[in-house]
Amino acid sequence: MDELLRRLIMDCDICLEKLDTTQRRPKALPCGHTTCLLCVGTMDARACPQCRQVFAGPVESLPDNFYVLKLIEEIQQLCADQRLLLWCRDCSKVASEQCVDLGHVLCSLRKMRSERAAEQQQWLADCASVMWSAVKSFEDAERAVQALLKDWRSGLRQVEAAQRALQAAAGVDDDRNVDVEFPQAQWAQLLRELSSLLQGLCVEVEPQSGAGPQCASHLLQDAVRRGVLLFDLLKSFSREDDLSEVKKLDGTQAEVTFSPDECLDFTQLSPVDYKQKMDHVLDSPDFNKVRQLVGLGESYGGKELLLLHRSRAHVERLQIALQFCPVACLPKHLEAIRLMPALRHLELSFLPDDSAVPELPLQLEGLDLKNVHAEHLQHIQRMPRLRKLALDWCEDPLDVAFPPLPPGHCGLRWLWVALRPLSTVLSLAKAHAATLQDLRITCASEGDTPWHFKDLAAGLRLCGLTALRSVVLLRDIPDDADDVLLHGRVSCINQRRAVWTSVTHSLLAVADSSKPLNVPKVLCGECDEYPAYPARGMPWEDN
């Protein structure tokens, strides 16, 4: 009731605005009614606007309503005291009188601090969970190291005993046989396994100048990374099967099919299922068998980073979307990907405005990039074994000229480009003209948009694509893109005919008359059925 009374007293009955101590100062009329100074001054007749009682004299001579003025001053002081205790959720700052007038959502500063503390508590809980997993891994690794240390000490004693026996036999002056029997083949295999183990553990660290907290943080992160790798290698080393089954991949190897227990798929999972599966995988003792890891990208408590570190020694194919990765964690994810020695096929997607561009692994054989950056294109020519490349979309033009391939580069066989301008596409195709067999270009068949490459046929003719088997002109772009790919049946037929004539001309220029000519196919992604792009780019057999 007191609050309602205050609100009624604080508003002028004529203009319904709030009374104050300046322009809308409350004036007491002779009849007893109160009106603001601004309303009284604008009246034509000197009469009360409520009861119409006439009064004489100038408006300035009317007395103030001191009771109302006192209430105004009390309320202003109360608002000034409470302003420091209220937080505006809409403005994300301390609330003001304007926030109250506009009806913004307010809360106390204590509640705001409590909510923010709850978010930090959740983050700390996730950190504690990750660190608990790391501590558990280190404890398991410690037990494995102790068992391995015992075995290797025993083997060392056997080798030293054989060494002493051989020295003693070599010093005898009679005609006895100096050969000492020992399991040479078995020990050689153990030495090969030991070499592989030490190669994974020996990671050089550049000494850093300064010894501040930041330097200590870098050293701690590197120590954790080594510890996780040690745990994985020890688990792999302690398996009953032979480590020699892990073979080095090369460009001529037949396709490797992954068994179900070697694959981890996180795609199409709800956040709850994603979290549960992530926890289950990190706690699984068979995690070292995983060779294909797809569908990462929810950024659940930093556990993806732990997953990447623990799987780095084995994973050959990785599919990860970094759109949801926090900006602070993005460099760590990219560094973990770069240090995967077995990785051969990488599918990576960024936000269009991501500033952190990774130094991609140079041993890749297949690379799919979504939201391409100019720095990505600089890495491609430095990958000597890259055979399959997909550059899926960039909103802005990337004008890049590709140099000739360096010696030892095997050359691309599959190329999918959704970039502009046309000069970048032609430059990349020309650099791999001797090996490129499947070329897919995103373009329009008509219109005046930047995606209608009017000189496409003439440009392909100058590329010298002597190994080409098929060209697919794709008509799809991302749903959130601002551009439109115009397509018409007649213009599409004319475009395909011109492209076919150009690429066939290049083949005829180097054709051997004693061998049959493989005439390339030119297909449209809208009008024709065309084969799917290979998932891993293997096997290397002609279609």
Side-chain angles (χ1 to χ4, degrees), residues 527-542:
C527 305
D528 304 318
E529 294 183 0
Y530 57 93
Y533 206 59
R536 293 192 298 276
M538 295 194 298
W540 314 122
E541 59 184 24
D542 300 335

Side-chain angles (χ1 to χ4, degrees), residues 385-421:
R385 299 166 60 185
L386 189 65
R387 306 302 300 272
K388 183 184 80 77
L389 176 63
L391 302 175
D392 187 4
W393 193 253
C394 179
E395 189 71 31
D396 300 322
L398 296 178
D399 195 355
V400 178
F402 292 87
L405 292 182
H409 199 296
C410 65
L412 292 175
R413 184 165 293 188
W414 291 271
L415 175 60
W416 173 7
V417 187
L419 302 177
R420 59 185 175 94

Side-chain angles (χ1 to χ4, degrees), residues 331-535:
K332 300 177 183 178
H333 284 72
L334 299 177
E335 179 69 8
I337 295 173
R338 189 181 68 83
L339 295 176
M340 288 183 166
L343 188 62
R344 296 295 179 268
H345 307 281
L346 176 62
E347 300 175 36
L348 195 60
S349 59
F350 298 88
L351 284 174
D353 56 349
D354 276 342
S355 58
V357 177
E359 186 75 23
L360 299 174
L362 299 182
Q363 77 276 10
L364 292 179
E365 299 175 5
L367 176 62
D368 291 30
L369 292 176
K370 186 174 181 62
N371 292 322
V372 184
H373 295 256
E375 290 80 357
H376 292 142
L377 305 182
Q378 301 174 3
H379 300 157
I380 294 172
Q381 303 294 77
R382 301 200 299 265
M383 300 178 183
R385 299 166 60 185
L386 189 65
R387 306 302 300 272
K388 183 184 80 77
L389 176 63
L391 302 175
D392 187 4
W393 193 253
C394 179
E395 189 71 31
D396 300 322
L398 296 178
D399 195 355
V400 178
F402 292 87
L405 292 182
H409 199 296
C410 65
L412 292 175
R413 184 165 293 188
W414 291 271
L415 175 60
W416 173 7
V417 187
L419 302 177
R420 59 185 175 94
L422 176 62
S423 58
T424 301
V425 180
L426 296 178
S427 177
L428 182 56
K430 185 176 181 179
H432 300 269
T435 58
L436 192 59
Q437 293 188 4
D438 187 292
L439 176 60
R440 308 191 179 200
I441 302 174
T442 298
C443 62
S445 66
E446 59 184 23
D448 295 328
T449 66
W451 291 97
H452 181 207
F453 302 148
K454 298 179 181 180
D455 299 329
L456 176 61
L460 291 176
R461 183 170 185 172
L462 298 176
C463 289
L465 302 169
T466 57
L468 197 61
R469 301 295 179 84
S470 65
V471 178
V472 182
L473 305 177
L474 300 173
R475 314 299 188 187
D476 296 330
I477 60 175
D479 296 334
D480 56 350
D482 296 332
D483 298 313
V484 177
L485 297 188
L486 299 179
H487 174 266
R489 181 168 181 80
V490 177
S491 61
C492 178
I493 294 175
N494 294 333
Q495 185 185 49
R496 282 184 287 165
R497 181 183 295 114
V499 170
W500 183 87
T501 303
S502 298
V503 297
T504 305
H505 179 272
S506 300
L507 293 176
L508 290 174
V510 296
D512 187 351
S513 58
S514 62
K515 297 180 180 179
L517 178 65
N518 291 319
V519 180
K521 296 180 179 180
V522 180
L523 305 174
C524 171
E526 184 74 19
C527 305
D528 304 318
E529 294 183 0
Y530 57 93
Y533 206 59

Side-chain angles (χ1 to χ4, degrees), residues 150-374:
K150 181 178 179 180
D151 295 340
W152 284 106
R153 281 176 175 170
S154 176
L156 177 60
R157 287 193 292 268
Q158 295 179 24
V159 172
E160 291 176 343
Q163 185 181 17
R164 290 192 297 268
L166 182 60
Q167 291 175 350
V172 178
D173 295 334
D174 54 24
D175 57 352
R176 286 182 294 177
N177 188 5
V178 298
D179 292 336
V180 177
E181 295 183 359
F182 58 90
Q184 182 175 358
Q186 179 181 354
W187 288 354
Q189 176 63 25
L190 290 176
L191 290 177
R192 285 193 295 270
E193 296 176 356
L194 179 61
S195 176
S196 301
L197 177 65
L198 295 179
Q199 184 179 4
L201 296 179
C202 296
V203 181
E204 295 183 0
V205 179
E206 293 290 337
Q208 303 183 24
S209 59
Q214 187 174 4
C215 175
S217 176
H218 287 309
L219 294 177
L220 178 60
Q221 293 175 6
D222 185 74
V224 172
R225 177 173 57 82
R226 290 200 211 178
V228 174
L229 176 60
L230 171 65
F231 173 64
D232 288 330
L233 288 175
L234 290 175
K235 288 176 65 179
S236 176
F237 187 75
S238 62
R239 291 184 303 173
E240 296 181 358
D241 53 319
D242 194 352
L243 285 181
S244 62
E245 293 179 359
V246 181
K247 300 180 176 62
K248 186 176 181 180
L249 297 174
D250 55 40
T252 60
Q253 185 182 359
E255 181 179 9
V256 179
T257 58
F258 301 132
S259 61
D261 59 343
E262 293 177 331
C263 302
L264 268 181
D265 190 354
F266 288 87
T267 56
Q268 298 180 352
L269 293 179
S270 66
V272 175
D273 294 338
Y274 187 95
K275 176 181 178 180
Q276 292 177 352
K277 186 169 184 177
M278 180 69 67
D279 292 336
H280 173 73
V281 167
L282 291 175
D283 294 336
S284 174
D286 298 329
F287 179 69
N288 60 317
K289 298 180 180 179
V290 175
R291 298 169 61 194
Q292 177 173 270
L293 185 57
V294 298
L296 288 181
E298 290 295 330
S299 186
Y300 160 56
K303 292 197 174 182
E304 288 84 357
L305 184 59
L306 180 60
L307 184 64
L308 292 175
H309 280 308
R310 291 187 56 182
S311 63
R312 53 168 287 184
H314 316 283
V315 169
E316 298 177 21
R317 183 191 176 205
L318 173 65
Q319 181 191 66
I320 181 170
L322 297 179
Q323 293 97 323
F324 309 103
C325 179
V327 177
C329 299
L330 187 59
K332 300 177 183 178
H333 284 72
L334 299 177
E335 179 69 8
I337 295 173
R338 189 181 68 83
L339 295 176
M340 288 183 166
L343 188 62
R344 296 295 179 268
H345 307 281
L346 176 62
E347 300 175 36
L348 195 60
S349 59
F350 298 88
L351 284 174
D353 56 349
D354 276 342
S355 58
V357 177
E359 186 75 23
L360 299 174
L362 299 182
Q363 77 276 10
L364 292 179
E365 299 175 5
L367 176 62
D368 291 30
L369 292 176
K370 186 174 181 62
N371 292 322
V372 184
H373 295 256

